Amino acid sequence: MNKAPLGVFDSGIGGLTVARALFERLPNESIIYFGDTARVPYGPKSPDTVRRYSAEILAYLLKRGVKAVVIACNTSTAHALGYLKERSSVPVVGVIEPGARAAVAATKTGTIGVIGTAGTIASGAYERAITALRPDVRVYSRPCPLFVPLVEEGWFDHPAAELIAREYLEPLKRAQVDVLVLGCTHYPLLKKLLSRVMGPDVKLVDSAEETAKVVSDELERQGLLANGGAHEHRFVVSDDEPHFRKVGALFLGGKLKQVEVAPL
Ligand code: DGL
């Protein structure tokens, strides 16, 4: 039994998809969510820069006494998971390995598509995680950098978003993938559109739920679960911007009452 909070971080608001899955799977846990709103997006930035930002956030969360850290950001997981694990006194879980596991479990034909930010796709982290689980799987990857600003704009099902999605996803359709991994925090919000573009036979995999399961198993294995009693969630951003408050509140309902600002 450990009542310390769980730290969750992302480059900004998108990681709330992972936070929500954690709230659902681990209702007794307190969570501190950190969104690096001052420095988002991480997708186009170099691996070194993303590692440096991620290490600063880890240090901040450790100072706040977290018992484990969840990297909700795919780009940060791709570039910094190993780096943070080496520097952390508590367990660190990323989103890529759980997403890869879900994709391998879902494919029937052994042909998997992965979409993500430029940084995530260039890192090859999903291919490595998928082929480590099943070496015979063929992985087709495609960066979709325009999806993040479309989601931030709220254009989840806009004709412009559809045009861009058709262009990005054409090679994956041609490769006849039967699973598409949504390898970016923002993409679950485009699920309806992406499903329409890919067609009914392609299963979309979103790593949030699988990540929450891995976190739950890890806390249990290490005897770190909070088994009841009071809990509270805190939200911290590195820049006070109303967008996080507004969209985050819509996203999480009553859970996002107060947002602290902590420039790193
Ligand atoms: N959170 C990032 C990810 O999952 C997307 C937004 C960004 O580029 O920072 O890769």
Side-chain angles (χ1 to χ4, degrees):
M1 166 93 172
N2 185 319
K3 292 298 289 175
L6 196 56
V8 180
F9 81 85
D10 180 43
S11 54
I13 199 165
L16 291 175
T17 50
V18 177
R20 192 166 63 178
L22 288 165
F23 295 152
E24 276 161 22
R25 185 168 279 265
L26 293 164
N28 295 323
E29 299 295 334
S30 297
I31 289 177
I32 300 183
Y33 179 92
F34 185 94
D36 197 2
T37 47
R39 302 187 291 199
V40 68
Y42 283 9
K45 296 200 168 76
S46 71
D48 277 352
T49 297
V50 173
R51 268 195 286 276
R52 178 160 54 83
Y53 291 173
S54 304
E56 285 170 12
I57 299 170
L58 171 72
Y60 172 81
L61 291 171
L62 290 176
K63 241 191 276 159
R64 294 203 52 167
V66 298
K67 62 183 171 186
V69 171
V70 183
I71 311 177
C73 177
N74 290 259
T75 310
S76 176
T77 302
H79 295 320
L81 177 64
Y83 188 78
L84 296 196
K85 277 186 168 171
E86 281 167 20
R87 281 158 183 76
S88 178
S89 48
V90 302
V92 181
V93 176
V95 282
I96 290 183
E97 150 82 36
R101 200 170 289 285
V104 167
T107 185
K108 293 205 172 69
T109 62
T111 314
I112 295 175
V114 179
I115 53 175
T117 65
T120 298
I121 298 305
S123 77
Y126 268 105
E127 277 100 319
R128 279 196 299 280
I130 290 170
T131 50
L133 293 165
R134 230 190 97 176
D136 63 312
V137 162
R138 288 173 308 281
V139 183
Y140 295 86
S141 310
R142 188 93 167 111
C144 301
L146 292 173
F147 283 171
V148 168
L150 285 170
V151 168
E152 293 279 336
E153 200 59 34
W155 287 15
F156 307 145
D157 207 0
H158 188 282
E162 171 143 3
L163 202 67
I164 290 166
R166 290 203 180 277
E167 179 78 25
Y168 279 154
L169 300 179
E170 184 48 38
L172 302 181
K173 287 183 73 171
R174 241 184 295 125
Q176 296 185 313
V177 301
D178 73 337
V179 168
L180 180 67
V181 180
L182 309 183
C184 173
T185 47
H186 287 56
Y187 299 177
L189 296 163
L190 295 171
K191 246 182 192 165
K192 206 170 124 206
L193 168 68
L194 298 177
S195 174
R196 193 166 63 239
V197 170
M198 291 307 289
D201 298 333
V202 176
K203 189 164 189 298
L204 304 186
V205 164
D206 150 8
S207 48
E209 273 165 37
E210 196 65 22
T211 301
K213 187 172 170 294
V214 169
V215 173
S216 165
D217 292 349
E218 183 69 14
L219 293 182
E220 184 163 10
R221 205 171 58 79
Q222 304 228 17
L224 292 173
L225 281 170
N227 285 323
H231 68 276
E232 67 172 339
H233 302 313
R234 290 176 174 275
F235 300 89
V236 188
V237 290
S238 50
D239 188 23
D240 186 16
E241 41 99 30
H243 189 69
F244 185 91
R245 244 172 258 272
K246 196 173 129 222
V247 182
L250 283 179
F251 205 75
L252 295 175
K255 292 226 163 58
L256 193 115
K257 284 193 208 88
Q258 235 191 324
V259 180
E260 296 168 46
V261 181
L264 292 179

